[in-house]
Structures are given as structure tokens and as C-alpha cells.
Amino acid sequence: MERWPWPSGGAWLLVAARALLQLLRADLRLGRPLLAALALLAVLDWLCQRLLPPLAALAVLAAAGWIALSCLARPPRLPVATRAVLITGCDSGFGKEAAKKLDAMGFTVLATVLDLDSPGALELRACCSSNLRLLQMDLTKPADIRHALEFTKAHTTSTGLWGLVNNAGFNDVVADAELSPVATFRSCMEVNFFGALQLTKGLLPLLRRSRGRIVTVGSPAGDMPYPCLGAYGTSKAALVLLMDTFSCELLPWGIKVSVIQPGCFRTGEESVRKVDHWERRKQLLLANLSQELLQAYGEDYIEHLYGQFLHSLRLALPDLSPVVDAIIDALLAAQPRRRYYPGRGLGLMYFIHNYLPEGLRRRFLQAFFINPCLPRALQPSQPSPTPTQDAVQDPAPNLGLSPTEAQ
């Protein structure tokens, strides 16, 4: 029996009318999610016409279209008005781009930089309004954090502080955890965890008063064991757990906490300078390895790791707008998400990490980021290493620390 086409057409007209209205109000974006939803609706339409009576098909298709458009709609946003926000790590990358975008939207932006004369700081001075204030802050120095707290209180007396964006991050070693100096783990924790903790705690009285927002840039390396990012990933895992704790504890105060887990983006300076920087870090790592570790792993192994890492940097996305958009949504959405995952392939990555066997997870991360070769001692042609005097002594790495500090 031939089906009447009008119920299906009526449902599509309803869906099209609502989609057009949402597009005109900028509540909906043209993109792959919308196209995927329309494709699924078309499949559902085909099934309904063959399995259901006309009126039931109309009801199911219209309801499915309405729900899909509701899910795709942007959440309502709060007005910018005179809101003030503090962003850390604005010398480059996400921090710098977020500061520029928020300033253009009308926010009062307090942007922290490591160096007030850095290229990023000079760019912000040149292209932003007088509402943007720059201040120097090193998150490893309590005196700098205290000064930032006083600066923030002094510059938000009339507006209050609406948001804190914990963006600053640090990592300077790409190597297995055994090869990474303990000092590197401490440095990552000082910047990525303890610095963010001290700054956030210091600003909580202002944020409680405004019932504002805390937005923190984490990393998927804190959720899954990325090869050769043990120090960085460990610090980010601690930071994200801290933010989840804050999210629960600060809910009665009206403070909303969001964590952004970005994919692989090109956030540093120009590629030539990045290559020079990582070449210096590699040479310093090699110079400070014990003889036993150098024999076990081999210089070729470390050269391979850094070559793979630089290759992944070249493949990183140069457009930082997905992360900046996530920061803005976390600051202004009436009901912000607790997690944002901007970037290419993150959905597949988290699916594999959460649901597939451990061996497949490991191989996927290696193929995606760094695929290490076999250490020298594990290669078939190499004899097993024997303990050396260097291995017994296990000297502290020479990274500018006194022996007491290294211990």
C-alpha cells in the first residue's frame, strides 16, 4: 500500500522552520553536526514511512527533529556587560587569543604574562583596548601570585571579578618517565598544579561574591597515558581532579567550574624557534642521563622520540578558535558544561581509551602521538646491560639545583 507523503513533508517543514529561526538568531551553526542530524532524520523518515501509520510517522519524525535541533542549539548566554576576567599564560597560544577575543567582546581583561616585553605582550598592547591590563606573573613565585591577587582586587573594585581562566602550562621534557628528571616532575607540578591552586584559592572570595566562573585548560594527557609526557600528564591529572573537587564544593556558592581538554593545537611560537628550543632540551636531557640509562636506552632512542614529537607539532592545528570558543562558552553560557573537548579526533580517542582493550589503547596513542622504537638494550642484537658504578650512585641531574634541592 502506497504511503501518503504529506505527513513526512509536514514534519520536514516544521524542522526546517525551526532550523531557519535558530540560524537567524545565531543559535545554530551550519556544520557537520547539523548535517549529520539531518542525515539521521532522513533515515528515520525512510523507516517511519515503511513501518508506521501516517500520523504516527508524522509525530515521531517531528519529535525527533525537534529534539535534535534542541540538542544542537547553543545554550543561552549571559550578557558581557562590565564583566572582568583574569587569564593566565597570555604570552602566546590559547591565553593570548582568548585575551584578544574577550577584549573585543567588551570584557575587562587582566592578562598575565611571564615577560611584559615578550612578543605576545607587545601584540596585546598593540591590538587590544585600554580595558585590557597586562601584569607579569610567574606561577612558581608566591610573591608574583600575591601581587596578581592585589592587582586583581584593585582593578575589579567597580566590576567585580567574573571569571578566572587557568591557562598557563609548562612542560620541557619529552621522554619516558624513567628518563625524565624528578626536577621536571616538580617543575610541572609547581606551574600546572600548585601555582593554579594558589591563584584560584586567592581569588575565590572575589568569585564567590560574583557567583562567577572558573575555567581551566587541562589536557587529554591527564586522562590517558600519552607516551613521553609523564611529568606533564601527571600534573594535568592532578589539576583536573582539583577542579572537579572545586566544582562540587563551590556549587552552593553559585560558582561554576569548567575544564577544557583541547586536542593537538599549535600554541607556541613560530616553528623554527620551537625546533631550536626542543633541540636544546634534548641535548640537556642527554647530557644529564646516567651512564647506565644511556646504555640501556641509547642516544638513538631519544633522538627518535624528539623527531616523532616535532613531527606531531607540525601536524598540530594552527586555528585556535575552537578552544577560544570553548573558553567563551564556559564563561558566558547560562549552564556551561563541566567538560569541553575542542579539537580533531578527540571523541574517537576517548572512545578507544574508555572502551577498547588496553593493548589497542596503547597502540592507538603511539600511532597518534609518539611511537617509540625499542630501547638499545631490548634490541635483538644487543647484549643485556650490566649495572655500572653510575647506576649505583644515581647522581642528581644537573639542572641548576643544589644537591639538597635535587633530593
Side-chain angles (χ1 to χ4, degrees):
M1 180 178 176
E2 185 179 354
R3 295 284 185 183
W4 291 93
W6 68 265
S8 175
W12 280 107
L13 283 175
L14 181 65
V15 170
R18 177 169 180 185
L20 181 60
L21 183 61
Q22 288 181 227
L23 288 170
L24 291 175
R25 292 189 310 199
D27 290 337
L28 187 67
R29 274 187 179 178
L30 285 173
R32 283 182 291 182
L34 178 58
L35 294 176
L38 293 176
L40 289 175
L41 283 176
V43 173
L44 180 63
D45 181 16
W46 181 84
L47 290 173
C48 287
Q49 289 195 45
R50 281 153 181 78
L51 300 176
L52 298 175
L55 291 180
L58 169 65
V60 170
L61 188 60
W66 197 267
I67 292 171
L69 290 176
S70 297
C71 293
L72 291 173
R74 290 183 178 180
R77 286 189 172 182
L78 305 173
V80 173
T82 57
R83 300 183 195 275
V85 60
L86 172 69
I87 310 174
T88 65
C90 294
D91 298 86
S92 62
F94 303 139
K96 184 181 73 173
E97 296 305 315
K100 289 161 62 176
K101 184 68 177 288
L102 291 171
D103 175 75
M105 293 174 65
F107 277 87
T108 297
V109 177
L110 309 180
T112 78
V113 292
L114 269 176
D115 182 0
L116 289 171
D117 294 320
S118 68
L122 297 176
E123 181 181 342
L124 288 175
R125 282 199 191 96
C127 69
C128 293
S129 72
S130 59
N131 288 331
L132 183 136
R133 309 296 176 91
L134 286 174
L135 67 152
Q136 190 277 331
M137 183 178 68
D138 183 339
L139 282 170
T140 65
K141 298 178 179 177
D144 280 13
I145 296 177
R146 288 194 295 271
H147 175 257
L149 297 176
E150 294 166 1
F151 185 95
T152 304
K153 291 173 185 175
H155 286 83
T156 59
T157 51
S158 59
T159 62
L161 179 67
W162 172 251
L164 164 65
V165 180
N166 288 309
N167 166 72
F170 172 80
N171 180 49
D172 67 352
V173 165
V174 178
D176 294 44
E178 185 180 14
L179 301 177
S180 303
V182 173
T184 296
F185 282 83
R186 290 197 177 103
S187 298
C188 286
M189 290 298 292
E190 283 296 330
V191 176
N192 302 339
F193 179 76
F194 287 111
L197 169 62
Q198 185 177 351
L199 181 65
T200 303
K201 282 173 63 69
L203 292 174
L204 281 181
L206 297 178
L207 293 168
R208 282 192 280 108
R209 201 171 303 147
S210 65
R211 300 173 66 86
R213 305 291 171 85
I214 300 172
V215 183
T216 298
V217 178
S219 170
D223 287 335
M224 54 192 84
Y226 270 65
C228 304
L229 291 184
Y232 179 74
T234 301
S235 65
K236 287 294 187 178
L239 177 64
V240 169
L241 181 57
L242 172 68
M243 291 302 145
D244 285 344
T245 303
F246 276 141
S247 179
C248 297
E249 295 176 349
L250 298 175
L251 190 60
W253 296 96
I255 298 176
K256 293 183 172 63
V257 181
S258 298
V259 173
I260 297 171
Q261 304 282 60
C264 194
F265 289 87
R266 197 174 301 163
T267 60
E269 301 299 326
E270 57 269 25
S271 58
V272 173
R273 290 182 59 182
K274 281 197 297 186
V275 170
D276 292 343
H277 167 78
W278 289 111
E279 177 65 26
R280 290 193 298 270
R281 299 310 307 175
K282 179 188 70 178
Q283 295 302 331
L284 185 61
L285 176 67
L286 286 168
N288 287 285
L289 281 181
S290 69
Q291 191 62 31
E292 191 275 336
L293 284 178
L294 196 56
Q295 287 179 359
Y297 282 86
E299 186 173 341
D300 290 346
Y301 180 84
I302 296 171
E303 292 278 359
H304 175 79
L305 295 184
Y306 275 83
Q308 292 253 303
F309 175 68
L310 290 175
H311 176 69
S312 72
L313 288 184
R314 286 191 287 270
L315 297 178
L317 298 174
D319 179 15
L320 308 186
S321 61
V323 180
V324 174
D325 290 343
I327 292 172
I328 294 169
D329 191 77
L331 288 170
L332 288 180
Q335 295 297 329
R337 305 178 202 165
R338 290 187 61 178
R339 288 285 192 280
Y340 291 84
Y341 298 96
R344 187 171 55 196
L346 280 183
L348 174 62
M349 185 181 303
Y350 275 90
F351 175 83
I352 290 173
H353 177 70
N354 290 324
Y355 298 108
L356 295 190
E358 190 273 337
L360 290 176
R361 300 201 305 261
R362 184 179 65 253
R363 284 195 287 273
F364 176 79
L365 280 178
Q366 290 174 348
F368 177 79
F369 186 56
I370 291 178
N371 191 3
C373 60
L374 276 177
R376 176 188 293 167
L378 297 179
Q379 294 174 9
S381 60
Q382 298 296 326
S384 300
T386 57
T388 65
Q389 185 66 26
D390 292 305
V392 174
Q393 292 177 353
D394 191 20
N398 180 17
L399 294 177
L401 299 175
S402 68
T404 303
E405 290 172 318
Q407 292 169 0

